[in-house]
Amino acid sequence: DLPEDYDNHEDLEEEIPIVICAAAGRMGGTIAAINSIYSNTDANVIFYIVTLKNSLTHIRKWIENSKLKDIKFKIVEFNPMVLKGKIRPDASRPDLLQPLNFVRFYLPLLIHKHEKVIYLDDDIIVQ
């Protein structure tokens, strides 16, 4: 039962925004994470898939030609030029300097529609 003052049934199905990055070399992990979430929830989830320009078409084709074709998703391009002059190279850990590692700091600039989002790494599986 809904409270008497509740007048908007759409709020019951409010979208739950999930942000996940899709790096070219880790696309399989991204798809596996999205699939595990989609397969294990009845919630009204929308995926924001953040990637670099060179992966935009690849990720769209991958989703549209799989059982994930029915998910709600938006692909968001992250421009690594926003990082220019802001990060110092660390020769001991070059893997940490991948542009998509910094997406979480730019979420307010990338995802405007939602006040809060769930940010997940591409190496998770939801059961």
Side-chain angles (χ1 to χ4, degrees), residues 18-64:
I18 297 179
V19 178
I20 190 164
C21 290
R26 298 179 56 93
M27 204 69 71
T30 300
I31 295 298
I34 292 170
N35 183 54
S36 72
I37 296 163
Y38 180 68
S39 299
N40 290 295
T41 186
D42 292 327
N44 184 18
V45 172
I46 181 167
F47 293 94
Y48 287 90
I49 304 162
V50 183
T51 192
L52 302 177
K53 187 174 189 170
N54 63 347
S55 297
L56 293 170
T57 303
H58 186 193
I59 189 74
R60 182 172 304 283
K61 283 183 180 177
W62 197 330
I63 290 172
E64 291 175 349

Side-chain angles (χ1 to χ4, degrees), residues 2-111:
L2 296 172
E4 287 180 31
D5 60 340
Y6 192 84
D7 61 358
N8 190 354
H9 294 304
E10 287 182 29
D11 285 350
L12 284 177
E13 286 296 326
E14 183 178 343
E15 286 181 336
I16 299 170
I18 297 179
V19 178
I20 190 164
C21 290
R26 298 179 56 93
M27 204 69 71
T30 300
I31 295 298
I34 292 170
N35 183 54
S36 72
I37 296 163
Y38 180 68
S39 299
N40 290 295
T41 186
D42 292 327
N44 184 18
V45 172
I46 181 167
F47 293 94
Y48 287 90
I49 304 162
V50 183
T51 192
L52 302 177
K53 187 174 189 170
N54 63 347
S55 297
L56 293 170
T57 303
H58 186 193
I59 189 74
R60 182 172 304 283
K61 283 183 180 177
W62 197 330
I63 290 172
E64 291 175 349
N65 293 314
S66 73
K67 75 175 196 171
L68 295 175
K69 65 182 175 273
D70 295 327
I71 68 169
K72 286 195 288 184
F73 72 99
K74 292 183 182 178
I75 299 176
V76 179
E77 179 185 348
F78 181 68
N79 184 347
M81 291 306 293
V82 300
L83 300 173
K84 191 171 185 174
K86 295 182 180 172
I87 56 174
R88 238 182 300 173
D90 181 355
S92 67
R93 300 288 310 269
D95 53 314
L96 295 180
L97 297 178
Q98 298 301 315
L100 293 177
N101 284 343
F102 299 93
V103 162
R104 66 192 82 210
F105 302 113
Y106 293 91
L107 287 177
L109 300 174
L110 297 170
I111 315 292

